[in-house]
Amino acid sequence: MSRRDAVAAEIPRLRRYARALTGDGDAADDLVQDCLERALTRLDQWRHGESPRRWLFTILHNIHADAMRRRARRPVHVAYDERDARHQGADPQTHASAGDMDRALQQLSEEQRAVVLLVGLEGLSYAEAAAVLGIPAGTVMSRLARGREKLRVLMQETGDGRSRPSLRRIK
């Protein structure tokens, strides 16, 4: 398999991670496109024998982090009438669950969200996630634990901040 084919094989994973990271399909597509453009122009920097996944996720994460820094320096723009047509016609129960999860993920800190997505969604090991993010594996584990716990709490809350009734276990 050529290097270009190996990169192309990772596109679905890159798109999934970018979509979960940004919370916006268009921004995710732009992020993946920027990542692929940078990767293809720098194929010589990819170490032979190394997984393209970790290399591509590192590129994607760095592009996203740079964009977040730039965005923090600019005022926020919100469109007057934004409508999410992505899930029209979907099962309402599934849509609510996916929407709840997306909203909960967006409430995590950037650091926790990145770790939860890399380990939980993409299945990277702690060491691989640490290499992608440029942090120690122990930091990955602690951010993951805190992120999962916060997600658990957020998913138990209703829209008005009250806890949803939990199911009781009956023997």
Side-chain angles (χ1 to χ4, degrees), residues 89-168:
D91 176 34
Q93 186 66 24
T94 304
H95 175 63
S97 298
D100 290 346
M101 178 58 87
D102 187 48
R103 278 188 290 282
L105 278 169
Q106 296 307 317
Q107 290 181 31
L108 294 177
S109 70
E110 183 69 29
E111 294 84 14
Q112 288 175 351
R113 183 172 50 240
V115 171
V116 167
L117 293 172
L118 286 173
V119 174
L121 180 66
E122 295 303 328
L124 269 63
S125 69
Y126 295 151
E128 290 171 327
V132 166
L133 299 172
I135 58 176
T139 303
V140 168
M141 290 186 275
S142 63
R143 286 181 185 174
L144 182 62
R146 287 192 308 268
R148 284 179 174 165
E149 181 58 31
K150 187 167 183 183
L151 274 178
R152 198 175 355 258
V153 169
L154 291 170
M155 291 301 292
Q156 290 176 350
E157 293 179 357
T158 62
D160 57 5
R162 294 180 300 162
S163 292
R164 291 184 179 151
S166 59
L167 297 175
R168 287 186 5 207

Side-chain angles (χ1 to χ4, degrees), residues 73-90:
R73 288 178 266 186
R74 286 192 224 154
V76 177
H77 170 75
V78 178
Y80 177 69
D81 186 24
E82 289 184 0
R83 298 199 179 170
D84 186 9
R86 290 180 293 180
H87 298 290
Q88 286 183 353

